Amino acid sequence: MASAAPRLIDRPLVASERQTTSFRPFKAWKHFRQLVQDKEDTEQVFHIIEAMKGKKSHKQAWDFIGSDDGQRFLRDEVDIPAMLDDHERWADCGPDSVAQHYIRFMKREGLSAAGLVKESYKWQPESERPQDLTEWYFTRLRDTHDLFHVLTGYGRDALGEAALLGFSFEQNHNLGIKFIAYAAANEIRKVTETKAPLFSAINEGRRLGKAAAKLAHMDVEQVMREDIADARKSLNIGKPVIYRECLAQLEREGHLEADLMAPQAKAERTECCAKAA
């Protein structure tokens, strides 16, 4: 008789091989310059995040793991990507539900939750990742990432990605994310010479992220079934007003159709695949 698979909740909190701190800003800058030179080389995003990780995001992970909700989610062992990609599961949800907004977003962008998982394993295969509860938490950050887009209203345009990084920094406390957010905004400014207040849009994202509930801690199935306005209210997610004003300004300047920092969208999507610490 085959033995039962080990339960997720029985994993150690922190594996012996896990590193919980690193601060190498010059290394981060080198990798950012490589990303600017070859915008398809999104592996550089992982290097930036790894060069700037710290203990604060780990402590947040450990606090959540020890919470009632964290323990409940661990016991349930829900496969979030499989649940999100099962569009039939949400067929009974109304047109203004988070689920239907999410499905429309994913179809429009040609994305899938499983695809994001696959992308993350290109950089670091699952077999090379610490098998601990801390990894489970960081995986949860990855698996809920596209819901961040849907719930916050930030698009996958270059500025939307950068502003969402500002939001994500205040949620997850990774200095690498903060670095990329401002560096990306500066790169957009250099390319376009826009008069739009790009850095104000990043700061707005940070304010919204700080005020909001921790989105990676949400009950995903419950939120998916809520009306999106109700979900945003319960999670205290404000409107990205400055971001929208910047988009309008960029459009007036003729930049909206330009590929400003082209796969900044892909790069921002990649950041959630890395250890958010």
Side-chain angles (χ1 to χ4, degrees), residues 37-107:
Q37 292 168 14
D38 180 2
K39 299 177 180 65
E40 292 292 344
D41 187 12
T42 53
E43 179 182 339
Q44 302 308 320
V45 176
F46 293 119
H47 291 298
I48 294 166
I49 292 169
E50 283 295 297
M52 301 288 281
K53 69 181 180 182
K55 289 186 175 180
K56 191 171 183 179
S57 55
H58 282 83
K59 184 179 186 304
Q60 177 170 293
W62 301 333
D63 287 346
F64 178 68
I65 289 165
S67 70
D68 290 343
D69 282 343
Q71 289 293 299
R72 174 166 61 89
F73 296 150
L74 278 166
R75 288 192 300 271
D76 291 346
E77 297 197 39
V78 173
D79 185 336
I80 292 176
M83 179 173 66
L84 292 175
D85 282 342
D86 183 5
H87 293 179
E88 289 301 315
R89 183 187 188 117
W90 316 111
D92 61 337
C93 295
D96 283 329
S97 65
V98 174
Q100 294 303 322
H101 277 267
Y102 174 82
I103 290 170
R104 291 194 293 270
F105 172 84
M106 298 297 277
K107 287 183 175 179

Side-chain angles (χ1 to χ4, degrees), residues 28-245:
W29 177 251
K30 182 189 76 171
H31 287 293
F32 180 75
R33 296 314 307 168
Q34 289 179 253
L35 177 63
V36 170
Q37 292 168 14
D38 180 2
K39 299 177 180 65
E40 292 292 344
D41 187 12
T42 53
E43 179 182 339
Q44 302 308 320
V45 176
F46 293 119
H47 291 298
I48 294 166
I49 292 169
E50 283 295 297
M52 301 288 281
K53 69 181 180 182
K55 289 186 175 180
K56 191 171 183 179
S57 55
H58 282 83
K59 184 179 186 304
Q60 177 170 293
W62 301 333
D63 287 346
F64 178 68
I65 289 165
S67 70
D68 290 343
D69 282 343
Q71 289 293 299
R72 174 166 61 89
F73 296 150
L74 278 166
R75 288 192 300 271
D76 291 346
E77 297 197 39
V78 173
D79 185 336
I80 292 176
M83 179 173 66
L84 292 175
D85 282 342
D86 183 5
H87 293 179
E88 289 301 315
R89 183 187 188 117
W90 316 111
D92 61 337
C93 295
D96 283 329
S97 65
V98 174
Q100 294 303 322
H101 277 267
Y102 174 82
I103 290 170
R104 291 194 293 270
F105 172 84
M106 298 297 277
K107 287 183 175 179
R108 183 173 66 247
E109 300 293 336
L111 303 174
S112 71
L116 182 54
V117 174
K118 183 177 180 180
E119 186 73 21
S120 74
Y121 290 155
K122 288 180 182 178
W123 177 73
Q124 186 180 37
E126 185 176 16
S127 60
E128 296 179 7
R129 300 182 180 217
Q131 296 301 300
D132 56 16
L133 296 182
T134 307
E135 187 66 22
W136 168 81
Y137 179 81
F138 292 148
T139 298
R140 189 176 179 85
L141 295 180
R142 175 197 68 193
D143 294 343
T144 55
H145 171 73
D146 287 312
L147 279 177
F148 276 50
H149 272 292
V150 173
L151 289 166
T152 62
Y154 284 115
R156 296 185 72 237
D157 57 278
L159 181 60
E161 300 292 358
L164 185 56
L165 286 176
F167 184 101
S168 298
F169 167 71
E170 295 295 344
Q171 293 263 306
N172 304 320
H173 312 296
N174 184 289
L175 288 173
I177 304 306
K178 178 181 177 182
F179 173 87
I180 298 171
Y182 285 106
N186 188 56
E187 199 66 23
I188 296 168
R189 180 189 59 80
K190 285 166 56 179
V191 169
T192 65
E193 299 183 349
T194 182
K195 297 185 182 300
L198 303 180
F199 294 105
S200 294
I202 306 301
N203 291 335
E204 176 185 58
R206 292 184 61 185
R207 288 195 301 273
L208 295 176
K210 188 173 184 178
K214 302 293 185 186
L215 301 193
H217 299 183
M218 63 186 158
D219 184 322
V220 174
E221 177 154 16
Q222 176 183 313
V223 170
M224 288 284 280
R225 295 189 177 280
E226 292 178 1
D227 181 273
I228 195 165
D230 293 338
R232 286 169 173 162
K233 183 176 181 180
S234 65
L235 293 168
N236 200 33
I237 301 172
K239 295 180 179 180
V241 176
I242 298 174
Y243 161 64
R244 295 294 179 189
E245 292 173 349

